Amino acid sequence: MNLAMKEVDYEQPQAEAGGAACATKHAWARVPQEPGRSERAALKEKIHRLLKEKNAVMVSHYYVHPDLQDLAEETGGLVSDSLEMARFGRDHSAQTLVVSGVRFMGETAKILSPEKRVLMPDLDATCSLDLGCPAGEFSAFCDAHPERTVVVYANTSAAVKARSDWLVTSSCALDIVKALKDKGHKILWAPDRHLGHYIQRETGADMLMWNGSCIVHNEFKAIELQDLMQQHPGARVLVHPESPAEVVALADAVGSTSGILKAAHEMDAKVFIVATDNGMMHKLRTLNPGKLFLEAPTSGNSATCKSCAHCPWMAMNSLADVARVLETGANEVQVDAAIIPRARLPIDRMLAFTSALKGGNDAGRLVPHIGAA
């Protein structure tokens, strides 16, 4: 079947990585065809059967198609963020993991479960943050600043993870960077500059930034957001910290995907404006049926919409491809066995830290005085 293709622009730092200048690069994404009602039902039934036959479990990110989110939960899998998806897959008895998301998520699952088979609906589904942080250039950036502790966001390749000291997600980045700062560490941060600057503002840490951004969150516009807020004066604003600083400044709550879900549940407002990928709307509306959720604007008088608040690579995941990879074993994620132990180290550090924090223990004792990897 020939699928439609769309070109996608993303940023990549030029020669002086971490400086202000970024080059515009071009990638592409496939656009799956939406199945009709009968085909959709048949595909879901087939996937239910194949998951049982293949001793497989399905994990889906909050940003993929609602069908894939619902199907994961209906079949005993999980809908969550990238690290919780990988952790769930590691701890589940299934020997095959089907990861509906983007490539770095499949790689992370493989790093944590190297003995398992990890399949993805489309191996070409990538991420602008991953694309904008090539391992070779990033390694050279680290080499130029050996005195700094390397902290990278989950949205990176296995090779970049292997060059880091710590991995973070948006839900634990503040705690980990604060602990590093308190131990006297200077940070080299990659790849999302907006998240990095948010953490820097909140912690006061000395941070040198890689100059990447998410093509979805980078598009949210403060001017148009203020206009929408005026139209809905009682609305609360929920913002993911990958958004620009002027958008974050308007938020009633800033948080990761799980943080946004928590805030929407706990706040007593009836109307929310949400600045993150609109794939989140499905879970927000499902869990909060009496509340209204509006998308924060990504275009208007001050901008031209590029992603329209939905990652084009997340959109590449489809029911048909989930069924195909389960049936054929195609699209298996491969990570160089030589780098898995080194890539796993920063992930395990993060998991130990967050586990200690959750248990009320002194997570700071897990922060060693280490330099760059």
Side-chain angles (χ1 to χ4, degrees):
M1 179 182 0
N2 292 324
L3 299 180
M5 307 287 284
K6 65 184 295 185
E7 190 172 86
V8 185
D9 294 343
Y10 67 96
E11 295 178 345
Q12 184 172 309
Q14 293 177 323
E16 293 186 355
C22 277
T24 298
K25 301 276 187 174
H26 304 283
W28 53 268
R30 278 188 280 270
V31 184
Q33 294 180 354
E34 191 74 15
R37 180 179 297 179
S38 59
E39 182 186 2
R40 178 172 169 265
L43 284 168
K44 294 184 80 169
E45 182 180 350
K46 184 177 184 179
I47 291 166
H48 272 263
R49 173 177 56 81
L50 287 169
L51 286 168
K52 291 179 181 178
E53 291 178 1
K54 305 289 186 178
N55 186 23
V57 69
M58 190 173 170
V59 291
S60 297
H61 194 270
Y62 290 120
Y63 295 166
V64 300
H65 194 287
D67 282 347
L68 300 179
Q69 296 186 45
D70 293 343
L71 195 55
E73 293 185 330
E74 290 168 9
T75 55
L78 181 77
V79 179
S80 192
D81 61 24
S82 61
L83 256 295
E84 194 56 38
M85 289 162 63
R87 180 158 44 190
F88 179 89
R90 177 198 64 187
D91 297 339
H92 199 279
S93 61
Q95 290 305 297
T96 296
L97 312 177
V98 182
V99 178
S100 295
V102 292
R103 188 178 178 91
F104 79 81
M105 297 176 183
E107 288 186 344
T108 305
K110 185 65 176 179
I111 291 166
L112 284 184
S113 303
E115 77 288 356
K116 296 186 178 184
R117 182 170 65 165
V118 179
L119 307 176
M120 295 195 70
D122 197 320
L123 285 176
D124 290 321
T126 186
C127 168
S128 56
L129 288 169
D130 189 354
L131 285 173
C133 190
E137 294 173 36
F138 178 68
S139 184
F141 185 44
C142 295
D143 289 344
H145 303 281
E147 76 286 359
R148 290 184 176 266
T149 298
V150 180
V151 181
V152 303
Y153 194 30
N155 301 39
T156 46
S157 67
V160 167
K161 289 178 174 68
R163 190 60 179 83
S164 71
D165 299 308
W166 286 83
L167 185 79
V168 298
T169 66
S170 50
S171 60
C172 67
L174 280 173
D175 291 319
I176 288 176
V177 171
K178 183 180 184 303
L180 288 167
K181 171 185 175 282
D182 290 346
K183 290 292 182 72
H185 291 255
K186 294 182 178 180
I187 309 298
L188 186 152
W189 169 269
D192 190 280
R193 65 178 181 270
H194 296 308
L195 178 57
H197 285 301
Y198 169 73
I199 294 166
Q200 187 177 51
R201 292 192 302 272
E202 293 293 313
T203 65
D206 183 333
M207 296 174 66
L208 180 63
M209 308 289 179
W210 186 263
N211 203 15
S213 69
C214 166
I215 64 167
V216 174
H217 295 94
N218 191 49
E219 288 185 37
F220 291 118
K221 308 301 176 189
I223 294 173
E224 279 72 27
L225 177 54
Q226 287 174 314
D227 288 344
L228 188 58
M229 291 166 66
Q230 289 175 0
Q231 296 171 38
H232 300 275
R236 297 295 186 93
V237 179
L238 310 178
V239 175
H240 193 285
E242 289 177 28
S243 305
E246 58 271 20
V247 173
V248 171
L250 297 172
D252 293 295
V254 180
S256 63
T257 48
S258 58
I260 287 173
L261 284 170
K262 184 173 185 288
H265 175 72
E266 293 180 350
M267 289 182 173
D268 59 5
K270 294 297 183 184
V271 181
F272 293 86
I273 301 170
V274 184
T276 192
D277 189 292
N278 63 23
M280 272 287 291
M281 294 299 184
H282 175 63
K283 185 59 69 176
L284 284 166
R285 289 165 179 157
T286 300
L287 295 178
N288 303 278
K291 299 181 178 182
L292 175 64
F293 294 93
L294 305 171
E295 295 179 25
T298 58
S299 63
N301 294 331
S302 66
T304 299
C305 182
K306 292 181 182 178
S307 73
C308 297
H310 189 43
C311 173
W313 297 293
M314 287 286 189
M316 288 170 65
N317 292 267
S318 70
L319 283 172
D321 281 329
V322 171
R324 178 176 62 85
V325 300
L326 274 168
E327 191 166 42
T328 65
N331 290 1
E332 183 171 356
V333 176
Q334 303 290 345
V335 177
D336 185 350
I339 71 168
I340 284 180
R342 187 62 190 84
R344 182 163 182 159
L345 179 61
I347 302 174
D348 284 341
R349 281 180 177 150
M350 181 200 67
L351 293 177
F353 184 97
T354 54
S355 178
L357 201 64
K358 187 176 181 179
N361 299 314
D362 179 16
R365 67 181 173 78
L366 298 172
V367 179
H369 289 280
I370 52 176

